[in-house]
PDB file of all heavy atoms in Angstrom:
ATOM      1  N   GLN A  65     131.653  72.395  77.313  1.00 90.00           N
ATOM      2  CA  GLN A  65     132.999  71.826  77.264  1.00 90.00           C
ATOM      3  C   GLN A  65     133.180  70.889  78.450  1.00 90.00           C
ATOM      4  O   GLN A  65     132.455  70.962  79.438  1.00 90.00           O
ATOM      5  CB  GLN A  65     134.062  72.935  77.325  1.00 90.00           C
ATOM      6  CG  GLN A  65     133.980  73.920  76.187  1.00 90.00           C
ATOM      7  CD  GLN A  65     134.273  73.268  74.851  1.00 90.00           C
ATOM      8  OE1 GLN A  65     135.236  72.544  74.708  1.00 90.00           O
ATOM      9  NE2 GLN A  65     133.416  73.516  73.870  1.00 90.00           N
ATOM     10  N   MET A  66     134.183  70.008  78.359  1.00 92.00           N
ATOM     11  CA  MET A  66     134.454  69.066  79.431  1.00 92.00           C
ATOM     12  C   MET A  66     135.155  69.754  80.600  1.00 92.00           C
ATOM     13  O   MET A  66     135.983  70.639  80.403  1.00 92.00           O
ATOM     14  CB  MET A  66     135.323  67.916  78.933  1.00 92.00           C
ATOM     15  CG  MET A  66     134.652  67.064  77.865  1.00 92.00           C
ATOM     16  SD  MET A  66     133.079  66.352  78.384  1.00 92.00           S
ATOM     17  CE  MET A  66     133.610  65.170  79.585  1.00 92.00           C
ATOM     18  N   ILE A  67     134.821  69.318  81.811  1.00 92.00           N
ATOM     19  CA  ILE A  67     135.551  69.713  83.013  1.00 92.00           C
ATOM     20  C   ILE A  67     136.482  68.545  83.316  1.00 92.00           C
ATOM     21  O   ILE A  67     136.019  67.465  83.686  1.00 92.00           O
ATOM     22  CB  ILE A  67     134.603  69.970  84.197  1.00 92.00           C
ATOM     23  CG1 ILE A  67     133.602  71.062  83.851  1.00 92.00           C
ATOM     24  CG2 ILE A  67     135.408  70.320  85.443  1.00 92.00           C
ATOM     25  CD1 ILE A  67     132.528  71.267  84.895  1.00 92.00           C
ATOM     26  N   PRO A  68     137.785  68.704  83.134  1.00 92.00           N
ATOM     27  CA  PRO A  68     138.714  67.588  83.319  1.00 92.00           C
ATOM     28  C   PRO A  68     138.768  67.110  84.767  1.00 92.00           C
ATOM     29  O   PRO A  68     138.391  67.819  85.700  1.00 92.00           O
ATOM     30  CB  PRO A  68     140.070  68.164  82.901  1.00 92.00           C
ATOM     31  CG  PRO A  68     139.774  69.421  82.180  1.00 92.00           C
ATOM     32  CD  PRO A  68     138.457  69.910  82.679  1.00 92.00           C
ATOM     33  N   SER A  69     139.285  65.929  84.932  1.00 89.00           N
ATOM     34  CA  SER A  69     139.453  65.333  86.243  1.00 89.00           C
ATOM     35  C   SER A  69     140.365  66.196  87.109  1.00 89.00           C
ATOM     36  O   SER A  69     141.382  66.694  86.653  1.00 89.00           O
ATOM     37  CB  SER A  69     140.063  63.939  86.069  1.00 89.00           C
ATOM     38  OG  SER A  69     140.422  63.408  87.316  1.00 89.00           O
ATOM     39  N   GLY A  70     139.991  66.384  88.364  1.00 89.00           N
ATOM     40  CA  GLY A  70     140.822  67.105  89.309  1.00 89.00           C
ATOM     41  C   GLY A  70     140.722  68.609  89.253  1.00 89.00           C
ATOM     42  O   GLY A  70     141.460  69.301  89.949  1.00 89.00           O
ATOM     43  N   VAL A  71     139.819  69.169  88.444  1.00 91.00           N
ATOM     44  CA  VAL A  71     139.677  70.620  88.324  1.00 91.00           C
ATOM     45  C   VAL A  71     138.583  71.099  89.279  1.00 91.00           C
ATOM     46  O   VAL A  71     137.475  70.556  89.277  1.00 91.00           O
ATOM     47  CB  VAL A  71     139.322  71.011  86.870  1.00 91.00           C
ATOM     48  CG1 VAL A  71     138.990  72.484  86.760  1.00 91.00           C
ATOM     49  CG2 VAL A  71     140.454  70.642  85.946  1.00 91.00           C
ATOM     50  N   PRO A  72     138.874  72.129  90.096  1.00 91.00           N
ATOM     51  CA  PRO A  72     137.819  72.677  90.959  1.00 91.00           C
ATOM     52  C   PRO A  72     136.675  73.231  90.109  1.00 91.00           C
ATOM     53  O   PRO A  72     136.907  73.812  89.056  1.00 91.00           O
ATOM     54  CB  PRO A  72     138.528  73.815  91.703  1.00 91.00           C
ATOM     55  CG  PRO A  72     139.976  73.526  91.570  1.00 91.00           C
ATOM     56  CD  PRO A  72     140.150  72.777  90.289  1.00 91.00           C
ATOM     57  N   HIS A  73     135.441  73.023  90.564  1.00 93.00           N
ATOM     58  CA  HIS A  73     134.279  73.485  89.819  1.00 93.00           C
ATOM     59  C   HIS A  73     133.093  73.673  90.757  1.00 93.00           C
ATOM     60  O   HIS A  73     133.252  73.570  91.972  1.00 93.00           O
ATOM     61  CB  HIS A  73     133.936  72.512  88.679  1.00 93.00           C
ATOM     62  CG  HIS A  73     133.597  71.135  89.123  1.00 93.00           C
ATOM     63  ND1 HIS A  73     134.538  70.183  89.429  1.00 93.00           N
ATOM     64  CD2 HIS A  73     132.393  70.534  89.310  1.00 93.00           C
ATOM     65  CE1 HIS A  73     133.945  69.067  89.791  1.00 93.00           C
ATOM     66  NE2 HIS A  73     132.638  69.252  89.730  1.00 93.00           N
ATOM     67  N   VAL A  74     131.928  73.944  90.200  1.00 93.00           N
ATOM     68  CA  VAL A  74     130.719  74.206  90.970  1.00 93.00           C
ATOM     69  C   VAL A  74     129.660  73.182  90.590  1.00 93.00           C
ATOM     70  O   VAL A  74     129.503  72.851  89.417  1.00 93.00           O
ATOM     71  CB  VAL A  74     130.188  75.631  90.662  1.00 93.00           C
ATOM     72  CG1 VAL A  74     128.848  75.876  91.311  1.00 93.00           C
ATOM     73  CG2 VAL A  74     131.188  76.677  91.108  1.00 93.00           C
ATOM     74  N   VAL A  75     128.950  72.660  91.583  1.00 93.00           N
ATOM     75  CA  VAL A  75     127.806  71.780  91.337  1.00 93.00           C
ATOM     76  C   VAL A  75     126.565  72.549  91.772  1.00 93.00           C
ATOM     77  O   VAL A  75     126.501  73.054  92.888  1.00 93.00           O
ATOM     78  CB  VAL A  75     127.923  70.464  92.137  1.00 93.00           C
ATOM     79  CG1 VAL A  75     126.719  69.571  91.878  1.00 93.00           C
ATOM     80  CG2 VAL A  75     129.203  69.737  91.801  1.00 93.00           C
ATOM     81  N   ALA A  76     125.596  72.678  90.878  1.00 91.00           N
ATOM     82  CA  ALA A  76     124.385  73.451  91.177  1.00 91.00           C
ATOM     83  C   ALA A  76     123.153  72.646  90.808  1.00 91.00           C
ATOM     84  O   ALA A  76     123.154  71.907  89.832  1.00 91.00           O
ATOM     85  CB  ALA A  76     124.401  74.768  90.407  1.00 91.00           C
ATOM     86  N   TRP A  77     122.091  72.794  91.617  1.00 91.00           N
ATOM     87  CA  TRP A  77     120.820  72.123  91.349  1.00 91.00           C
ATOM     88  C   TRP A  77     119.703  72.912  92.014  1.00 91.00           C
ATOM     89  O   TRP A  77     119.914  73.587  93.010  1.00 91.00           O
ATOM     90  CB  TRP A  77     120.842  70.668  91.826  1.00 91.00           C
ATOM     91  CG  TRP A  77     120.955  70.492  93.316  1.00 91.00           C
ATOM     92  CD1 TRP A  77     119.945  70.250  94.187  1.00 91.00           C
ATOM     93  CD2 TRP A  77     122.157  70.524  94.106  1.00 91.00           C
ATOM     94  NE1 TRP A  77     120.436  70.136  95.465  1.00 91.00           N
ATOM     95  CE2 TRP A  77     121.779  70.299  95.442  1.00 91.00           C
ATOM     96  CE3 TRP A  77     123.501  70.723  93.806  1.00 91.00           C
ATOM     97  CZ2 TRP A  77     122.706  70.266  96.476  1.00 91.00           C
ATOM     98  CZ3 TRP A  77     124.418  70.696  94.834  1.00 91.00           C
ATOM     99  CH2 TRP A  77     124.026  70.466  96.156  1.00 91.00           C
TER     100      TRP A  77
END
Side-chain angles (χ1 to χ4, degrees):
Q65 299 295 312
M66 296 303 291
I67 301 173
S69 171
V71 172
H73 61 278
V74 173
V75 179
W77 66 98

